[in-house]
Amino acid sequence: MNHQEKPPEENLTELMDFVLLGFADMSHLQWFLFGLFLIIYIIILLSNGTIFLITKMDPTLQSPVYFFLANFSFLEICYASTTLPRMLMNLGTQRRRISLVACATQMCFFLMFRVTECLLLAVMAYDRYVAICNPLQYPLVMNHRVCIQLVTGSWTTGIPFLIEYTYQIFSLPFCGSNQINHFFCDIFPILKLACGDTFVNEMLAYTVAVLFVMVPFLLVLGSYSKIISIILKFPSATS
């Protein structure tokens, strides 16, 4: 953790941009990495885009499980598009500079999509729990209105907190190096460049991880544990 004393005001440098160092020491593999990640990005776009379109266009795929799957596929496209295009540009041009505003925007969207992914996985696990453990009540419990509310909550729950948290990080004074030892703007590589005490910011990062990662993970674990328990009690033919 970064607890050094804040340097005198005259020693602070107002950084206007950062340099992303990700893969900088592998310049001899520049075009191999560019091609590899470009193929990965195209596969992500095509596979998730196809799933999204099929679940929207096929009348037989309008149940809650496919509604959640369509949202998850769209989320995966957004998630990948937050980091991969910038990384491809850095690899292709070797111009690794990113403005402070662009860096803050990338971090904010990355965190929002990460939180949304965790919450949406918990929602999908709950959907399967109701479908398998309470099949007679499933149409009533998971009606269209509830599905809309669950998805909307997954997409929006963390937005106010994460915007404020990102603002707090980029309001810190930065001094010395502007080189980020990563291929995108993530929390801890940015905090390493900040001057002064970053203890509060680091504790908030762990709080976010507990609330939006560990809690949904435990809900997913609990849901599937219950599902497995119920299935094991079925006769083999029914299972």
Short mmCIF file of all heavy atoms in Angstrom, two decimals, residues 24-53:
data_model
loop_
_atom_site.label_atom_id
_atom_site.label_comp_id
_atom_site.label_asym_id
_atom_site.label_seq_id
_atom_site.Cartn_x
_atom_site.Cartn_y
_atom_site.Cartn_z
N ALA A 24 5.08 -3.80 -23.85
CA ALA A 24 6.12 -2.94 -24.43
C ALA A 24 7.45 -3.67 -24.54
O ALA A 24 8.27 -3.35 -25.41
CB ALA A 24 6.28 -1.69 -23.57
N ASP A 25 7.69 -4.64 -23.67
CA ASP A 25 8.95 -5.39 -23.70
C ASP A 25 8.90 -6.57 -24.65
O ASP A 25 9.80 -7.41 -24.68
CB ASP A 25 9.31 -5.88 -22.30
CG ASP A 25 8.21 -6.75 -21.68
OD1 ASP A 25 7.09 -6.73 -22.21
OD2 ASP A 25 8.48 -7.44 -20.68
N MET A 26 7.83 -6.65 -25.45
CA MET A 26 7.68 -7.75 -26.41
C MET A 26 7.47 -7.19 -27.81
O MET A 26 6.64 -7.67 -28.57
CB MET A 26 6.50 -8.65 -26.00
CG MET A 26 6.62 -9.23 -24.59
SD MET A 26 5.14 -10.13 -24.06
CE MET A 26 5.18 -11.54 -25.16
N SER A 27 8.23 -6.15 -28.14
CA SER A 27 8.06 -5.47 -29.42
C SER A 27 8.33 -6.42 -30.60
O SER A 27 7.77 -6.23 -31.69
CB SER A 27 8.97 -4.25 -29.51
OG SER A 27 10.32 -4.62 -29.29
N HIS A 28 9.19 -7.43 -30.39
CA HIS A 28 9.48 -8.37 -31.46
C HIS A 28 8.28 -9.26 -31.79
O HIS A 28 8.24 -9.89 -32.85
CB HIS A 28 10.68 -9.25 -31.08
CG HIS A 28 10.49 -10.03 -29.81
ND1 HIS A 28 10.42 -9.44 -28.57
CD2 HIS A 28 10.34 -11.37 -29.61
CE1 HIS A 28 10.24 -10.36 -27.64
NE2 HIS A 28 10.19 -11.54 -28.24
N LEU A 29 7.30 -9.29 -30.88
CA LEU A 29 6.07 -10.07 -31.12
C LEU A 29 4.88 -9.15 -31.40
O LEU A 29 3.73 -9.59 -31.30
CB LEU A 29 5.77 -10.94 -29.90
CG LEU A 29 6.79 -12.03 -29.55
CD1 LEU A 29 6.40 -12.72 -28.26
CD2 LEU A 29 6.91 -13.05 -30.69
N GLN A 30 5.18 -7.91 -31.76
CA GLN A 30 4.13 -6.90 -31.92
C GLN A 30 3.01 -7.36 -32.84
O GLN A 30 1.83 -7.33 -32.48
CB GLN A 30 4.75 -5.61 -32.47
CG GLN A 30 3.73 -4.56 -32.93
CD GLN A 30 4.40 -3.41 -33.66
OE1 GLN A 30 5.64 -3.31 -33.68
NE2 GLN A 30 3.61 -2.55 -34.27
N TRP A 31 3.35 -7.80 -34.05
CA TRP A 31 2.32 -8.14 -35.02
C TRP A 31 1.68 -9.50 -34.73
O TRP A 31 0.51 -9.72 -35.07
CB TRP A 31 2.91 -8.10 -36.43
CG TRP A 31 3.28 -6.70 -36.80
CD1 TRP A 31 4.53 -6.19 -36.98
CD2 TRP A 31 2.37 -5.62 -37.00
NE1 TRP A 31 4.47 -4.86 -37.27
CE2 TRP A 31 3.16 -4.47 -37.29
CE3 TRP A 31 0.99 -5.48 -36.96
CZ2 TRP A 31 2.61 -3.22 -37.54
CZ3 TRP A 31 0.42 -4.24 -37.20
CH2 TRP A 31 1.22 -3.14 -37.49
N PHE A 32 2.42 -10.39 -34.11
CA PHE A 32 1.82 -11.65 -33.69
C PHE A 32 0.74 -11.40 -32.65
O PHE A 32 -0.38 -11.93 -32.74
CB PHE A 32 2.88 -12.59 -33.13
CG PHE A 32 2.31 -13.82 -32.46
CD1 PHE A 32 1.81 -14.87 -33.21
CD2 PHE A 32 2.24 -13.89 -31.07
CE1 PHE A 32 1.26 -15.99 -32.59
CE2 PHE A 32 1.70 -15.01 -30.45
CZ PHE A 32 1.20 -16.06 -31.21
N LEU A 33 1.05 -10.56 -31.63
CA LEU A 33 0.09 -10.23 -30.59
C LEU A 33 -1.09 -9.46 -31.17
O LEU A 33 -2.24 -9.68 -30.78
CB LEU A 33 0.77 -9.43 -29.48
CG LEU A 33 1.80 -10.18 -28.64
CD1 LEU A 33 2.53 -9.23 -27.70
CD2 LEU A 33 1.14 -11.30 -27.84
N PHE A 34 -0.79 -8.55 -32.08
CA PHE A 34 -1.88 -7.79 -32.72
C PHE A 34 -2.85 -8.73 -33.43
O PHE A 34 -4.07 -8.63 -33.26
CB PHE A 34 -1.28 -6.79 -33.72
CG PHE A 34 -2.32 -5.97 -34.44
CD1 PHE A 34 -2.82 -4.80 -33.89
CD2 PHE A 34 -2.82 -6.39 -35.67
CE1 PHE A 34 -3.78 -4.05 -34.55
CE2 PHE A 34 -3.78 -5.65 -36.34
CZ PHE A 34 -4.27 -4.48 -35.78
N GLY A 35 -2.32 -9.66 -34.23
CA GLY A 35 -3.17 -10.61 -34.93
C GLY A 35 -3.93 -11.51 -34.00
O GLY A 35 -5.13 -11.78 -34.20
N LEU A 36 -3.27 -11.97 -32.93
CA LEU A 36 -3.90 -12.86 -31.97
C LEU A 36 -5.08 -12.19 -31.28
O LEU A 36 -6.19 -12.74 -31.23
CB LEU A 36 -2.87 -13.31 -30.93
CG LEU A 36 -3.40 -14.17 -29.78
CD1 LEU A 36 -3.93 -15.50 -30.29
CD2 LEU A 36 -2.31 -14.41 -28.73
N PHE A 37 -4.86 -10.98 -30.77
CA PHE A 37 -5.93 -10.30 -30.06
C PHE A 37 -7.01 -9.78 -31.00
O PHE A 37 -8.18 -9.67 -30.60
CB PHE A 37 -5.36 -9.15 -29.21
CG PHE A 37 -4.61 -9.62 -28.00
CD1 PHE A 37 -3.25 -9.44 -27.88
CD2 PHE A 37 -5.28 -10.27 -26.97
CE1 PHE A 37 -2.55 -9.88 -26.76
CE2 PHE A 37 -4.60 -10.72 -25.85
CZ PHE A 37 -3.23 -10.52 -25.75
N LEU A 38 -6.64 -9.49 -32.24
CA LEU A 38 -7.66 -9.11 -33.23
C LEU A 38 -8.58 -10.28 -33.50
O LEU A 38 -9.82 -10.11 -33.57
CB LEU A 38 -6.98 -8.64 -34.52
CG LEU A 38 -7.94 -8.23 -35.65
CD1 LEU A 38 -8.82 -7.07 -35.22
CD2 LEU A 38 -7.15 -7.88 -36.91
N ILE A 39 -8.02 -11.48 -33.68
CA ILE A 39 -8.84 -12.67 -33.90
C ILE A 39 -9.75 -12.93 -32.69
O ILE A 39 -10.94 -13.24 -32.84
CB ILE A 39 -7.94 -13.89 -34.18
CG1 ILE A 39 -7.24 -13.74 -35.52
CG2 ILE A 39 -8.75 -15.19 -34.14
CD1 ILE A 39 -6.18 -14.79 -35.80
N ILE A 40 -9.18 -12.81 -31.49
CA ILE A 40 -9.98 -13.00 -30.27
C ILE A 40 -11.13 -12.01 -30.22
O ILE A 40 -12.28 -12.37 -29.91
CB ILE A 40 -9.09 -12.87 -29.02
CG1 ILE A 40 -8.11 -14.04 -28.92
CG2 ILE A 40 -9.94 -12.79 -27.74
CD1 ILE A 40 -7.08 -13.92 -27.83
N TYR A 41 -10.85 -10.76 -30.54
CA TYR A 41 -11.89 -9.71 -30.49
C TYR A 41 -12.98 -9.99 -31.53
O TYR A 41 -14.18 -9.85 -31.23
CB TYR A 41 -11.24 -8.35 -30.74
CG TYR A 41 -12.18 -7.18 -30.57
CD1 TYR A 41 -13.03 -7.09 -29.47
CD2 TYR A 41 -12.21 -6.16 -31.51
CE1 TYR A 41 -13.89 -6.01 -29.32
CE2 TYR A 41 -13.07 -5.08 -31.36
CZ TYR A 41 -13.90 -5.01 -30.26
OH TYR A 41 -14.75 -3.94 -30.11
N ILE A 42 -12.58 -10.39 -32.73
CA ILE A 42 -13.56 -10.69 -33.77
C ILE A 42 -14.43 -11.87 -33.36
O ILE A 42 -15.66 -11.86 -33.56
CB ILE A 42 -12.84 -10.98 -35.11
CG1 ILE A 42 -12.21 -9.69 -35.65
CG2 ILE A 42 -13.83 -11.56 -36.13
CD1 ILE A 42 -11.34 -9.90 -36.88
N ILE A 43 -13.83 -12.90 -32.76
CA ILE A 43 -14.59 -14.07 -32.30
C ILE A 43 -15.60 -13.65 -31.23
O ILE A 43 -16.76 -14.08 -31.25
CB ILE A 43 -13.65 -15.15 -31.76
CG1 ILE A 43 -12.84 -15.77 -32.90
CG2 ILE A 43 -14.44 -16.24 -31.02
CD1 ILE A 43 -11.78 -16.74 -32.45
N ILE A 44 -15.17 -12.79 -30.31
CA ILE A 44 -16.07 -12.30 -29.26
C ILE A 44 -17.24 -11.56 -29.87
O ILE A 44 -18.41 -11.78 -29.50
CB ILE A 44 -15.31 -11.40 -28.27
CG1 ILE A 44 -14.32 -12.21 -27.44
CG2 ILE A 44 -16.29 -10.67 -27.34
CD1 ILE A 44 -13.41 -11.38 -26.57
N LEU A 45 -16.96 -10.67 -30.83
CA LEU A 45 -18.02 -9.89 -31.47
C LEU A 45 -18.99 -10.78 -32.25
O LEU A 45 -20.22 -10.64 -32.12
CB LEU A 45 -17.42 -8.84 -32.40
CG LEU A 45 -16.60 -7.71 -31.76
CD1 LEU A 45 -16.08 -6.76 -32.84
CD2 LEU A 45 -17.43 -6.95 -30.74
N LEU A 46 -18.44 -11.70 -33.04
CA LEU A 46 -19.29 -12.54 -33.88
C LEU A 46 -20.11 -13.53 -33.06
O LEU A 46 -21.32 -13.68 -33.29
CB LEU A 46 -18.43 -13.30 -34.90
CG LEU A 46 -17.79 -12.46 -36.02
CD1 LEU A 46 -16.94 -13.33 -36.91
CD2 LEU A 46 -18.87 -11.73 -36.82
N SER A 47 -19.47 -14.20 -32.10
CA SER A 47 -20.19 -15.22 -31.32
C SER A 47 -21.28 -14.59 -30.45
O SER A 47 -22.44 -15.05 -30.48
CB SER A 47 -19.21 -16.02 -30.46
OG SER A 47 -18.50 -15.16 -29.58
N ASN A 48 -20.92 -13.56 -29.72
CA ASN A 48 -21.91 -12.93 -28.85
C ASN A 48 -22.96 -12.14 -29.64
O ASN A 48 -24.13 -12.10 -29.25
CB ASN A 48 -21.22 -12.01 -27.84
CG ASN A 48 -20.50 -12.77 -26.76
OD1 ASN A 48 -21.10 -13.34 -25.86
ND2 ASN A 48 -19.17 -12.81 -26.84
N GLY A 49 -22.54 -11.55 -30.74
CA GLY A 49 -23.51 -10.86 -31.60
C GLY A 49 -24.52 -11.82 -32.19
O GLY A 49 -25.72 -11.52 -32.28
N THR A 50 -24.05 -13.00 -32.60
CA THR A 50 -24.95 -14.02 -33.15
C THR A 50 -25.95 -14.49 -32.10
O THR A 50 -27.15 -14.62 -32.37
CB THR A 50 -24.13 -15.22 -33.67
OG1 THR A 50 -23.22 -14.77 -34.69
CG2 THR A 50 -25.05 -16.29 -34.24
N ILE A 51 -25.44 -14.76 -30.89
CA ILE A 51 -26.34 -15.19 -29.80
C ILE A 51 -27.38 -14.11 -29.53
O ILE A 51 -28.58 -14.41 -29.37
CB ILE A 51 -25.52 -15.48 -28.53
CG1 ILE A 51 -24.64 -16.71 -28.73
CG2 ILE A 51 -26.45 -15.69 -27.33
CD1 ILE A 51 -23.67 -16.97 -27.59
N PHE A 52 -26.94 -12.86 -29.48
CA PHE A 52 -27.86 -11.75 -29.19
C PHE A 52 -28.95 -11.66 -30.26
O PHE A 52 -30.14 -11.54 -29.94
CB PHE A 52 -27.08 -10.45 -29.10
CG PHE A 52 -27.94 -9.24 -28.82
CD1 PHE A 52 -28.33 -8.94 -27.52
CD2 PHE A 52 -28.36 -8.41 -29.85
CE1 PHE A 52 -29.13 -7.84 -27.25
CE2 PHE A 52 -29.16 -7.31 -29.59
CZ PHE A 52 -29.54 -7.02 -28.29
N LEU A 53 -28.56 -11.72 -31.52
CA LEU A 53 -29.54 -11.58 -32.61
C LEU A 53 -30.51 -12.76 -32.65
O LEU A 53 -31.71 -12.58 -32.84
CB LEU A 53 -28.81 -11.45 -33.95
CG LEU A 53 -28.05 -10.14 -34.18
CD1 LEU A 53 -27.28 -10.19 -35.49
CD2 LEU A 53 -29.01 -8.96 -34.17
#
